[in-house]
Amino acid sequence: MDSASSTGLEWTRPHLLGLQELSAAEILLLLDQAAEFKRLHGAGETKLDLLKGVTVGNLFFEPSTRTRTSFSLAAKRLSADTVDFSSSGSSLSKGETFVDTARNIEAMGVTQMVVRHSSSGAPHLLATHLAAGIVNAGDGTHEHPTQGLLDLMTIREHRGGFQGLTVALVGDILHSRVARSNIWGLTKLGAKVVVCGPATLIPPYIEQLGVRVSYDLDEIVGEVDVINLLRIQAERQRSAFFPSIYEYAHFFGMNGDRIRRARHDVLILAPGPINRGVELTPEVADGPHSVILDQVTNGLFVRMASLYLLHRVSQRGARLAAR
Amino acid sequence: MSTVLLRNGRIIDPASGRDERGDLLLRDGVIAAQGHETVDQEIDCSGLIVCPGFIDLHVAVRDPGYEEDETTASATSAALAGGFTTIAALPDTDPPVDNSAAAAYVALQAERAGNCRVLPLGAVTKDRLGNELADLGQLARAGAVGFSDAKSPIASAEIMRRALQYARMFDRPILTHPLDPTLSAEGVMHEGAVSTVLGLRGIPAAAEDIIAGRDVALAELTGGHVHLMTVTTRHAVDQVRRAKAAGLHVTCDVTPHHLALTDDSLQTYSSAYKVMPPLRSREHVDALIAGLKEGVIDAISSDHRPWAAEKKDVELDRAPFGIVGLETLLPIIEESLIAPGHLNWLQLLEKLTVGPARILRKALGTLAEGAVADVTVFDPEARWTIEPRLFRSKSRNSPFAGGSVRGRIRYTLVEGAVRFQQS
């Protein structure tokens, strides 16, 4: 069960805030641990007692179904207790700040906190105010590290590695925390990344992150190994970034025609929830290239790995403090 | 009769170009000629710089309406500790200073506090909404030294034009916050590579460039005096440079934090770095320094903007913009401008004394004989650590907390009386 990978590296971080600050070796450590949990699960070990007696808090200050469920199940698979707190920003209207809310939950004995928040950097703020280990479950338009990891895990399962691969991130890059986590993870592991979408949804200076920019999906569709179709995030757009959904789907939607011009072994990923008929047609979503449900499955194991590795760091810290 | 002798200091008076070692005699609140009389108080200024009291063009005093952030008493006490003998108070209070009664209240509060001079700035528009002109004439009569809508942009060029025309009658400047509100909407920080990485909504430099250009054009159209508060972009500095070359009445200022910090600071997601206009990237900071060296930039302002901790210490995109700056201005600009050799003390102190005094048309900021004896004495070599808990300001929102710095105010004298002393 020891997660020290072939590199001999050990996980030492108290928080998982983003993939930007991780080394390639640390990312591989997480992926290896997730793969190990998946193997155990396949062997019938569906419930492990690694986090027995630990309480994990799921703090969702922004609506989420999939990620919250996945983290909750991941904690339960490790035998942790969970407390769930859900609130959209406005229901903190009793005047309590978000930090105070988290402090109160921490005072109930929560030592690991999974945080989703609409403000970029909110988990970083908690990390400076709380003793608990923080897992970023998506902060504003910044990062969504476990989504990035599950995308990496899914690609690795199908392709064995990342060297020589070209991955296209298509759609709303500007408002996408998934895009940023994918860019950091993929480029660190040796893949090439091309971001593709309407010019209004490509953030300024994105090339400085080591990616290529394309405004034409048809131009790149035949050359890439993986296409990750990001969601159009209407809720984060202050005004229209493109003329119409119809026009968006016409230029950037993945449909049957485009999939036939793609490589025969192209992988189609989507972080979901998907807007069928916008980012991709049902033919693509449910077709042979789609690994969308693999992503969901792997998400569970990636989150188990994150909670487990952070827990071991806090245990080590407690042992050191006791000495 | 009361006399104070500031003995053996390095006397720097940018208004006259004076920079020499010597004594300065203050008699009955004014700068006096050297006599041979016995003095009431003698202060040894060996190793210290003696200069006119600093003048800040725009300070958010927050009183009335936001006394949890700052009061006139705490703001003026902080001002003295920072070497300021005069501050111009922004009108973004509640109620705003858009009428003569409100301006009178500012003066009354300053008198009660009894610390430094407070000059009211009147609002340009009613309620600072940018729609209709405030009572500019009556505000001027009640003591407003200029007009400003503080950090609310005046979106309408037509309103800005009328304000400039009207304020000319009273020979008052319009202090503007050059920012296009549509381009900067919901922005949190400078738009650039860092904002992209952090996933924070950007405020492009163009948002400032556009309104700076517009206001320069309106200065030409009206003959009015446009003062651009807190310029932060390369092109805004260019606009002022060209305006001055064309003989227009356009002036501007910068803040210490925009010289000392860049947008990289936001990597921490700390709201201490969230300020309006935002901290810009290196190329813009370099342009500000060039503008200071050339004399394009007339003044340095702390742009002091206090926020109670419960308001500021929240998620970055929900936190208000602003930094407290009165008490840390000297060491920060010493580090940014003197230490690298960009300016000498005579040049730097001009931006804090006669520079802002000219913009406000006040006979302050000079050590000429007969001038008001507002004097600041500081030790340019003294090292200290910035500890916000010791601030006289009620608020602690400083990005320089914990910083080990050089340059400390020793005495601040208003009308010949020592109002602040730091041993």
Side-chain angles (χ1 to χ4, degrees):
Chain A
M1 197 56 262
D2 204 298
S3 64
S5 70
S6 51
T7 60
L9 180 91
E10 228 185 307
W11 183 264
T12 55
R13 293 179 186 271
H15 311 292
L16 178 62
L17 299 176
L19 297 190
Q20 184 190 2
E21 58 261 33
L22 301 189
S23 66
E26 286 175 305
I27 294 172
L28 289 172
L29 190 66
L30 274 159
L31 295 181
D32 289 347
Q33 183 65 59
E36 174 64 7
F37 282 137
K38 189 171 187 175
R39 188 189 65 76
L40 288 170
H41 187 264
E45 299 209 40
T46 54
K47 184 100 171 174
L48 305 167
D49 61 1
L50 295 168
L51 261 65
K52 200 165 182 183
V54 173
T55 308
V56 175
N58 288 309
L59 278 69
F60 281 70
F61 295 94
E62 186 185 65
S64 158
T65 309
R66 182 182 317 233
T67 305
R68 185 164 51 82
T69 309
S70 180
F71 265 111
S72 190
L73 188 57
K76 290 187 173 87
R77 287 271 168 85
L78 293 167
S79 302
D81 296 318
T82 57
V83 295
D84 288 349
F85 178 88
S86 295
S87 151
S88 58
S90 60
S91 59
L92 287 172
S93 55
K94 285 174 189 165
E96 189 174 61
T97 68
F98 132 84
V99 173
D100 282 335
T101 302
R103 276 198 184 117
N104 274 281
I105 289 169
E106 182 178 44
M108 296 173 195
V110 169
T111 53
Q112 288 203 41
M113 227 169 265
V114 176
V115 182
R116 156 75 58 98
H117 200 292
S118 59
S119 296
S120 299
H124 305 66
L125 185 64
L126 281 194
T128 62
H129 281 92
L130 270 60
I134 308 290
V135 182
N136 180 0
D139 64 323
T141 54
H142 176 228
E143 281 224 45
H144 191 351
T146 57
Q147 177 73 43
L149 289 168
L150 72 88
D151 290 344
L152 293 171
M153 183 175 177
T154 306
I155 294 169
R156 189 169 75 161
E157 277 181 351
H158 287 270
R159 284 298 141 80
F162 301 92
Q163 289 296 334
L165 289 186
T166 302
V167 178
L169 305 173
V170 178
D172 182 353
I173 312 297
L174 181 65
H175 299 101
S176 176
R177 51 196 174 208
V178 178
R180 285 165 180 77
S181 290
N182 262 269
I183 289 169
W184 294 121
L186 288 164
T187 53
K188 281 168 198 281
L189 295 178
K192 288 195 179 69
V193 176
V194 45
V195 297
C196 179
T200 46
L201 290 174
I202 303 290
Y205 306 98
I206 189 80
E207 301 88 348
Q208 291 187 22
L209 276 64
V211 305
R212 205 179 103 202
V213 175
S214 167
Y215 304 115
D216 185 354
L217 181 55
D218 291 317
E219 172 195 276
I220 62 162
V221 74
E223 60 168 280
V224 298
D225 301 284
V226 180
I227 301 175
N228 196 344
L229 296 159
L230 304 175
R231 205 162 69 84
I232 288 301
Q233 310 212 27
E235 73 273 18
R236 291 189 202 285
Q237 298 183 3
R238 59 184 164 183
S239 56
F241 281 78
F242 48 83
S244 68
I245 287 284
Y246 172 80
E247 178 154 323
Y248 178 85
H250 182 75
F251 284 101
F252 297 102
M254 199 65 199
N255 53 31
D257 174 49
R258 287 195 171 107
I259 203 96
R260 280 183 282 281
R261 283 187 281 120
R263 293 172 60 112
H264 71 280
D265 57 353
V266 71
L267 296 179
I268 299 293
L269 281 72
I274 56 175
N275 302 315
R276 282 175 186 260
V278 181
E279 298 96 2
L280 70 177
T281 59
E283 177 187 358
V284 176
D286 307 325
H289 298 281
S290 168
V291 292
I292 293 173
L293 293 176
D294 292 7
Q295 289 175 273
V296 177
T297 305
N298 288 338
L300 181 67
F301 300 113
V302 157
R303 286 165 184 133
M304 287 173 73
S306 306
L307 292 173
Y308 171 61
L309 292 179
L310 293 196
H311 169 64
R312 290 204 327 171
V313 171
S314 76
Q315 266 192 324
R316 253 199 319 272
R319 273 203 307 277
L320 285 173
R323 261 186 227 162
Chain B
M1 286 293 271
S2 107
T3 49
V4 179
L5 183 66
L6 302 172
R7 210 170 47 75
N8 197 31
R10 177 180 170 190
I11 299 171
I12 301 181
D13 182 21
S16 63
R18 178 180 176 194
D19 182 355
E20 61 189 4
R21 196 159 304 283
D23 301 344
L24 190 71
L25 183 66
L26 319 178
R27 186 190 298 123
D28 295 335
V30 295
I31 309 289
Q34 282 286 9
H36 296 283
E37 67 215 87
T38 50
V39 294
D40 300 315
Q41 189 182 2
E42 191 172 304
I43 297 172
D44 179 14
C45 296
S46 310
L48 307 180
I49 291 177
V50 177
C51 65
F54 301 164
I55 300 168
D56 198 318
L57 287 171
H58 44 93
V59 169
V61 173
R62 312 295 285 151
D63 175 10
Y66 306 99
E67 289 88 347
E68 66 275 24
D69 302 327
E70 198 81 288
T71 62
T72 305
S74 65
T76 51
S77 176
L80 290 174
F84 291 89
T85 52
T86 299
I87 58 173
L90 285 168
D92 54 341
T93 48
D94 185 16
V97 183
D98 62 358
N99 59 77
S100 55
Y105 175 84
V106 172
L108 180 66
Q109 285 292 79
E111 200 181 308
R112 282 180 180 146
N115 290 320
C116 71
R117 273 170 231 289
V118 180
L119 306 174
L121 293 166
V124 180
T125 63
K126 286 192 176 122
D127 283 323
R128 302 188 305 110
L129 292 174
N131 297 326
E132 42 185 328
L133 292 183
D135 303 336
L136 302 188
Q138 292 179 55
L139 281 163
R141 191 155 295 172
V145 290
F147 305 106
S148 176
D149 273 356
K151 299 289 181 186
S152 301
I154 299 168
S156 161
E158 175 63 10
I159 295 284
M160 186 64 184
R161 175 195 184 167
R162 285 189 216 141
L164 282 164
Q165 287 175 316
Y166 201 80
R168 264 194 84 180
M169 295 193 297
F170 313 103
D171 190 30
R172 298 289 196 281
I174 305 278
L175 286 72
T176 77
H177 169 51
L179 199 74
D180 181 288
T182 59
L183 266 182
S184 59
E186 294 173 53
V188 172
M189 65 174 293
H190 174 62
E191 180 174 304
V194 182
S195 68
T196 287
V197 168
L198 296 179
L200 291 170
R201 195 159 277 173
I203 300 171
E208 179 169 325
D209 303 339
I210 288 167
I211 301 297
R214 181 199 76 174
D215 289 351
V216 166
L218 292 174
E220 182 168 14
L221 180 66
T222 62
H225 178 182
V226 166
H227 177 79
L228 303 173
M229 296 188 290
T230 314
V231 294
T232 63
T233 68
R234 194 159 49 99
H235 290 322
V237 175
D238 282 342
Q239 309 263 19
V240 177
R241 184 182 287 115
R242 281 200 293 273
K244 287 190 162 170
L248 305 180
H249 202 173
V250 174
T251 53
C252 69
D253 65 68
V254 291
T255 77
H257 42 270
H258 288 103
L259 299 171
L261 302 170
T262 65
D263 57 345
D264 272 334
S265 305
L266 272 300
Q267 304 266 10
T268 59
Y269 282 107
S270 165
S271 65
Y273 299 100
K274 186 175 174 184
V275 65
M276 182 64 84
L279 300 174
R280 300 287 185 188
S281 56
R282 190 74 242 167
E283 55 166 341
H284 294 290
V285 175
D286 290 343
L288 299 180
I289 291 168
L292 280 164
K293 289 165 83 166
E294 284 173 59
V296 172
I297 296 169
D298 306 85
I300 299 173
S301 163
S302 71
D303 201 34
H304 182 79
R305 184 151 291 264
W307 291 106
E310 67 270 19
K311 296 183 192 172
K312 187 70 168 170
D313 202 6
V314 297
E315 299 92 312
L316 190 57
D317 57 355
R318 295 176 193 192
F321 293 94
I323 286 173
V324 285
L326 285 168
E327 292 169 78
T328 55
L329 175 130
L330 175 72
I332 301 305
I333 55 176
E334 179 169 345
E335 183 178 309
S336 304
L337 298 171
I338 297 287
H342 295 312
L343 297 182
N344 61 35
W345 279 112
L346 189 67
Q347 293 164 326
L348 175 60
L349 292 172
E350 181 186 350
K351 316 290 183 193
L352 292 168
T353 57
V354 66
R358 271 188 212 119
I359 291 163
L360 300 176
R361 294 119 163 104
K362 286 284 170 186
L364 297 168
T366 168
L367 298 179
E369 209 180 300
V372 175
D374 289 358
V375 182
T376 291
V377 180
F378 64 92
D379 182 347
E381 300 302 327
R383 294 193 175 274
W384 58 294
T385 301
I386 295 174
E387 289 182 79
R389 69 187 171 85
L390 301 177
F391 283 169
R392 282 162 175 77
S393 166
K394 282 186 81 171
S395 291
R396 308 278 176 260
N397 49 303
S398 171
F400 303 111
S404 178
V405 293
R406 198 169 61 150
R408 190 156 214 197
I409 304 297
R410 290 299 183 211
Y411 301 92
T412 308
L413 297 90
V414 179
E415 272 180 56
V418 176
R419 295 272 174 84
F420 172 81
Q421 182 171 350
Q422 169 83 55
S423 45

